[in-house]
Amino acid sequence: MAKDLRELFKNEREDGKDSSRLKSGHEARFAKRLEHTMPEGKTHGSRRFRIAATVTILVGIACYFLLKKSHAPGTTPPAVVEHEKHTKKGTMDTLSLGKLSPDLKKVEDYYLASIHLGLSKIELSEGNKGLVNSFMEQLSGLNTEYENLNRELNELGPNDQTINALIKNLELRLQLLQKLKRKLNTINTSKNEQIRNNAI
């Protein structure tokens, strides 16, 4: 039953039955159908519409990135720690917890990341502005103390007392932020209960 296709085609050509040729009028019928379903002159949408859509998309993307970068006024968290100090000669390489040992670097990075995350999640509103500002003042005082301890670490060299004080300062700042979050949650919960009670 197995036949060689080359032989079959060769035999058909010799017999005059060339199946590779199209029937007469086939090409004209195909072109007519093609023209009927897809006319040449019409395009989907005008050029102006496409330009307007492109401009709209580009403006939307630009607005998204600009608004994402900017924060509402008053919500930008203060800088927590400056690791470099500048002198008249240029930048001086300073010691910090992270430069003393890899373990202390992990501790410092953990606390600083947690502090920055906590600061970024604080929502400032008219109702909690006074509370947040008082906590920010306390946080600023702890930040100043941290800088003083870093200065002491650079002047006197690393010692257990200074290192422990630096770690304790980071712990206090994180605890202060957690306390602020708890108070803000309590305020929000009490407001929600008042609204629910008023609705009943």
Side-chain angles (χ1 to χ4, degrees):
M1 188 83 190
K3 295 182 181 180
D4 189 13
L5 291 178
R6 285 177 276 189
E7 290 294 322
L8 286 174
F9 286 123
K10 185 177 176 185
N11 291 338
E12 279 186 9
R13 277 190 220 120
E14 289 173 0
D15 292 341
K17 300 178 184 178
D18 192 5
S19 63
S20 64
R21 292 186 188 173
L22 299 174
K23 294 181 181 179
S24 64
H26 175 78
E27 192 173 339
R29 286 191 310 270
F30 178 76
K32 186 177 177 182
R33 279 188 179 174
L34 185 63
E35 179 64 32
H36 177 65
T37 56
M38 296 179 65
E40 279 184 37
K42 292 185 179 179
T43 58
H44 297 287
S46 68
R47 182 181 172 127
R48 288 183 184 171
F49 179 72
R50 282 187 256 158
I51 292 172
T54 303
V55 169
T56 304
I57 290 171
L58 291 176
V59 168
I61 291 171
C63 288
Y64 172 75
F65 284 111
L66 289 175
L67 292 175
K68 187 176 180 183
K69 287 183 181 181
S70 67
H71 297 287
T75 60
T76 305
V80 177
V81 177
E82 290 183 24
H83 287 285
E84 296 179 356
K85 303 196 183 213
H86 300 283
T87 62
K88 291 180 183 177
K89 296 178 183 176
T91 305
M92 180 175 70
D93 193 27
T94 61
L95 283 177
S96 67
L97 281 178
K99 293 181 181 178
L100 293 177
S101 80
D103 291 333
L104 289 175
K105 179 166 180 48
K106 286 180 186 177
V107 169
E108 183 181 41
D109 288 347
Y110 166 76
Y111 280 113
L112 289 176
S114 298
I115 290 167
H116 286 291
L117 181 65
L119 285 172
S120 69
K121 288 186 177 181
I122 293 175
E123 295 179 14
L124 189 63
S125 68
E126 291 299 321
N128 64 12
K129 192 174 187 176
L131 179 66
V132 171
N133 285 340
S134 68
F135 272 89
M136 287 300 172
E137 288 174 12
Q138 293 176 16
L139 193 63
S140 178
L142 287 171
N143 189 32
T144 304
E145 185 60 31
Y146 188 81
E147 290 172 358
N148 291 338
L149 288 168
N150 260 335
R151 195 173 308 114
E152 183 180 315
L153 180 71
N154 285 296
E155 291 171 0
L156 302 177
N159 60 46
D160 287 342
Q161 196 173 19
T162 306
I163 292 170
N164 289 334
L166 284 166
I167 293 172
K168 187 67 176 170
N169 182 285
L170 291 170
E171 287 176 1
L172 287 173
R173 285 196 278 173
L174 187 57
Q175 289 172 0
L176 185 67
L177 281 173
Q178 290 170 344
K179 185 177 179 181
L180 174 61
K181 282 176 129 179
R182 283 192 301 270
K183 284 194 175 190
L184 290 174
N185 285 339
T186 304
I187 290 171
N188 287 339
T189 304
S190 66
K191 283 182 182 178
N192 290 339
E193 287 177 5
Q194 286 177 352
I195 292 171
R196 193 172 7 164
N197 289 337
N198 289 340
I200 295 174

